[in-house]
């Protein structure tokens, strides 16, 4: 079985939430991503790139935090070059 080379975490948050709650949700998502990467054997501080994506859902937003390493990282970097 092939090893994963990317991970994603999505959160939905109301647009009415305070900036404190929005910032806390952002920090929590980053923390959980680090834990998720450690579970799959990837050092979250080395050789990983991160990207945020936000999708408008009317009264809420869906935030997706993505991490890429290995082949996926190389593909993302090539697309952005």
């Amino acid at each position: 079985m092939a090893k994963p080379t990317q991970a994603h975490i999505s959160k939905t948050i109301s647009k009415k939430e305070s900036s404190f709650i929005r910032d806390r949700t952002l920090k929590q998502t980053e923390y959980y991503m680090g834990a998720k990467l450690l579970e799959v054997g990837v050092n979250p501080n080395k050789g990983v790139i991160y990207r945020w994506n936000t999708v408008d859902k009317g009264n809420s937003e869906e935030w997706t935090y993505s991490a890429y390493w290995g082949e996926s990282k190389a593909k993302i970097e090539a697309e952005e070059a």
Side-chain angles (χ1 to χ4, degrees):
M1 183 155 105
K3 285 187 154 191
T5 60
Q6 54 184 286
H8 311 277
I9 297 177
S10 294
K11 299 275 184 168
T12 301
I13 189 163
S14 172
K15 289 181 180 178
K16 297 177 185 178
E17 291 293 347
S18 68
S19 62
F20 171 78
I21 297 295
R22 294 170 74 82
D23 289 342
R24 185 180 69 185
T25 301
L26 182 134
K27 296 291 184 206
Q28 285 176 338
T29 305
E30 291 173 342
Y31 176 83
Y32 293 138
M33 178 60 79
K36 188 174 189 177
L37 292 175
L38 289 172
E39 284 180 1
V40 296
V42 175
N43 183 339
N45 298 319
K46 296 193 181 209
V48 179
I49 58 173
Y50 300 94
R51 297 293 183 266
W52 277 102
N53 184 34
T54 305
V55 176
D56 189 337
K57 300 274 187 173
N59 292 332
S60 62
E61 294 176 325
E62 182 180 55
W63 295 352
T64 302
Y65 192 46
S66 302
Y68 303 93
W69 62 95
E71 293 174 12
S72 292
K73 177 184 173 188
K75 183 178 176 185
I76 294 290
E77 289 175 333
E79 289 173 358
E80 292 177 350

